Each structure stands twice: as structure tokens, then as C-alpha cells.
Amino acid sequence: MLSSEPITDESVRQYAIQRLAKLLRHPDDLVYKADDVRRKLAQEKLLIDAQLNTDVRRQFDDVQEGLEMLYSTKGQIDRVKTDMQKVDQLCNRAQSYLTNFDRIQKISVANRNFVRTDEFYRQFSEFHEQYVHVREMLADAKANFEQGDFNLLRLHYFLYKLEDFRSRAMGFSGVNDADSEQTLAQMFGGLDGLVLEFEQFLWHVAGGIYDLALRNRANVIVQLLKVIETEEAADRAQEREVEGAVLVRRQSLVGGARRPSMASSVMARGPKKERKVKHYHQKLLDLLRQFVAGRVTEFFKQEAKGLDGVEEVTGFVIDELTFVAEAVAPAFPPSYFVFDFFVNEYHQAVVKNTNELVAGDLEGGAILTLLRWVREYHSALRKQLSIPKDQLKPALLEGREDQLAQ
């Protein structure tokens, strides 16, 4: 009987008639069932009345609790107001005691600036020594690459500190101080080359990720990913700073002739020189994509040797993906979805090389071999690696099976 329409006496009457019509279907039911129906309806009425009483009592309790909370909240607000007034009075009294408060504040600012300047000067004096140290660490890492005797995290940590100090130094030099910027640029000139060397070494390590996994050097892979994660976090921070600076400039333009505040000016210029966004994460994925494509292409040329050996591709892909699942994927964070990434890249490379094989005219036997291999390829990946056919896109031969069969 639930409805959005208003309940009227007539609707209640119609509902009662329909209910009785269902309970008393024959004339004899008035003699034999009337008492049972009466008792049943009486029990239902008692149950409904009890539920209504319980709901009404609960509603009254909730209302009473709400009123008590309102009264207690009002009392708490009054107490907070009284306490704030006392704090304000104490502050006013304290200001009267400190007659030279402005002078103390200036001395505090001067002392803080002196400490920062002294720290900056110390780092500035040690920069060249740190630079030489990082360059030697990088040279040792290159020399010991085959043995895996190097620590990417430690190397990146010191290099990152040098880059951070350069950004702060260039930011402190002032916007219009060309001489200072030129001097600092000469001093930091070799750092760009060092960063470039480190990136080349980093991607060299990433290119040997299969060899590292084979030699049980998953710790090096983890170090590589932590370096990339740190740089990605720095990229996001830089993007937020740029967005904040743009927002401040827009606000200053909307404000018209109003003079920008000191905080806005500092935010727009920033305490650091703008950092170059590096996109290490995307570069790693691009490198792995090229790496997989190269391995598949080499197998097609050296092992498959055309359509005669195309059936060998299935075993190759399964072996490669099994190795990835067992030795490579455990070193990656779950957010990379690295196994799915490798599945997609291997399949894309197989599709590309297969299309190149079937680009020319094919004999009947070669076509039959190709079509049989396509079916086996999908079936084997599904059975051995639980990779459904729908996940492998685009399809092998890109839906041209019927065309080739003709």
C-alpha cells in the first residue's frame, strides 16, 4: 500500500476490501474462517501498534538527545568565548610589558637570516668537493657495472642534493642580478653534464633489467625504481609550484592597481629556480617498450626465419612472459601493472612482425600454417598464462583470417 499519493479514507476502505476478498474467497469462508481471520488481523494490529509505539518512543528519545546536545553546545561556545576574551586580555597585557617588541622581532629575523646565510655559505664552499665526490662515485659505478657493485640510491641522493642546492642558489641570486647569475652559471656549469652522465648510466641499468633479474640482482631494480619514484615526486612538486605561481599572477591581475603582497611575490618567483621536469617514469616505459620490440624482432629474424618457423614464436613469448612474472614483476610496485604492460608490449611486437611476414603473396601451405599458429598462439597463452584472448589487442592478423583463407 506504499504510494506517494495521499492516504484517504476511501483508499483505506478499498485496500481493506481487497484484503478481505483474498482471505474470504467463498461464502462458506464466512462461517469457517471468520474467527481465524479476526484473530489474525487482531494479532497484526497488536504487532503494528507495538512497532509504532517503539518508533515513537525512539523518535522522542532522539529529539531529547538532540536538544540536550544543543544546550551543551551553547554552553561550550560560551566557555570558549570567555576563554578567548581572557587570552585577548593577556595578550594586550603582554604587549604593554614588551616596550621594544619591534626591535626584538627585527633581531630575531636578522638572526634567522644569518643562520641561513651561514648554512648557504658552508654548502657553497663545499659544492666543488661534493661535485668531485659524486663524479668519482659515478665513475666507480660504471666500472663495476658488470659485477653489480654500485648503489644507485646513494649516488642519486648526493646528485639530487647538488641539483637542489643549485636551484636554491640560482633562486637567491635575484631576478635582475645578471652578474650573480652568470657567476653561478659558470660555477654550476659542469653539473648539467654530470646529470646527463647519470641519466645515461641509469637507462643503461634499465636496459639490462633482464640480466639483473637472471643474476638475482632484484635489489638493483628496486633502487632504479626508487630513483624514478623520487624524480617523479619532484616533477609533481614542480608542476604544483608552477600552477601556484600562475594562480598568484592571475590574482594580481584581477586585483588591478593593488600592490601584490610579499607572500604573493615570493610565491610567484619561488625560493628556487624552476626545475626541469624529467619524466623518468615515462622514459622507463618507453625504454622497456623498445627493449621488448627489439627482442621480438630479433627472434623473428634469427630463430623464426619467416613463416616456416613462426610456430616457434608461441613458445618464445610464453617463456619470456613466464620469466617476467617470476623474476622481473616482483621487483616492481603494484601500481606499475608491469606484467600486463609486458603482455601488451610482447603481443604488439608479435602483431607488428607478423604483419610484415604476411605483407606479400603467400602460398596455400604457408597460409594454413599461419592460421593454425594463430589459433595455437591464443590457446597456449590462455592455458599456460591465463591470458584471455580479449586482452590481446589488436588481434593477430587484425581480423584478416577469412581474407587469407579465401
Side-chain angles (χ1 to χ4, degrees), residues 307-369:
L307 289 174
D308 294 336
V310 72
E311 294 177 344
E312 302 294 330
V313 174
T314 303
F316 167 75
V317 172
I318 290 176
D319 291 343
E320 293 280 297
L321 290 178
T322 301
F323 172 74
V324 169
E326 295 178 352
V328 178
F332 280 74
S335 59
Y336 275 76
F337 299 100
V338 69
F339 182 72
D340 291 337
F341 170 81
F342 275 100
V343 168
N344 180 67
E345 295 307 320
Y346 271 99
H347 179 69
Q348 294 275 359
V350 169
V351 170
K352 176 178 177 296
N353 285 274
T354 303
N355 289 338
E356 293 177 357
L357 286 179
V358 301
D361 296 331
L362 299 178
E363 297 179 356
I367 293 176
L368 292 176
T369 300

Side-chain angles (χ1 to χ4, degrees), residues 59-72:
Q59 290 292 333
F60 276 120
D61 292 341
D62 292 342
V63 171
Q64 183 178 1
E65 183 180 356
L67 291 174
E68 291 175 354
M69 291 181 64
L70 285 174
Y71 286 128
S72 63

Side-chain angles (χ1 to χ4, degrees), residues 98-209:
L98 299 175
T99 56
N100 55 351
F101 176 77
D102 292 339
R103 184 180 179 184
I104 294 175
Q105 188 178 27
K106 291 179 181 178
I107 293 174
S108 176
V109 172
N111 179 69
R112 185 164 58 250
N113 291 339
F114 175 78
V115 172
R116 291 179 178 176
T117 302
D118 182 67
E119 176 66 16
F120 181 80
Y121 175 77
R122 183 186 63 79
Q123 294 179 355
F124 193 85
S125 302
E126 297 175 354
F127 177 82
H128 181 71
E129 180 182 350
Q130 293 292 331
Y131 170 80
V132 173
H133 176 62
V134 173
R135 179 170 287 282
E136 291 175 351
M137 289 175 60
L138 180 57
D140 291 341
K142 290 180 179 180
N144 298 319
F145 174 75
E146 295 298 333
Q147 295 80 11
D149 186 17
F150 56 89
N151 191 319
L152 274 178
L153 286 178
R154 188 166 181 268
L155 178 58
H156 177 260
Y157 171 76
F158 287 108
L159 182 61
Y160 187 87
K161 286 180 62 177
L162 292 180
E163 287 189 278
D164 181 72
F165 176 72
R166 178 180 63 177
S167 298
R168 290 188 290 114
M170 298 298 288
F172 289 151
S173 66
V175 177
N176 299 319
D177 192 349
D179 293 338
S180 297
E181 287 196 359
Q182 183 177 3
T183 301
L184 291 173
Q186 292 176 354
M187 177 178 178
F188 299 130
L191 185 58
D192 288 332
L194 184 60
V195 171
L196 181 60
E197 287 185 38
F198 172 77
E199 290 182 353
Q200 292 173 347
F201 178 70
L202 187 73
W203 303 132
H204 183 57
V205 173
I209 197 168

Side-chain angles (χ1 to χ4, degrees), residues 206-210 286-296 320 342 346:
I209 197 168
Y210 277 21
D286 292 341
L287 184 145
L288 294 177
R289 187 174 291 112
Q290 295 173 6
F291 173 75
V292 170
R295 287 181 69 87
V296 174
E320 293 280 297
F342 275 100
Y346 271 99

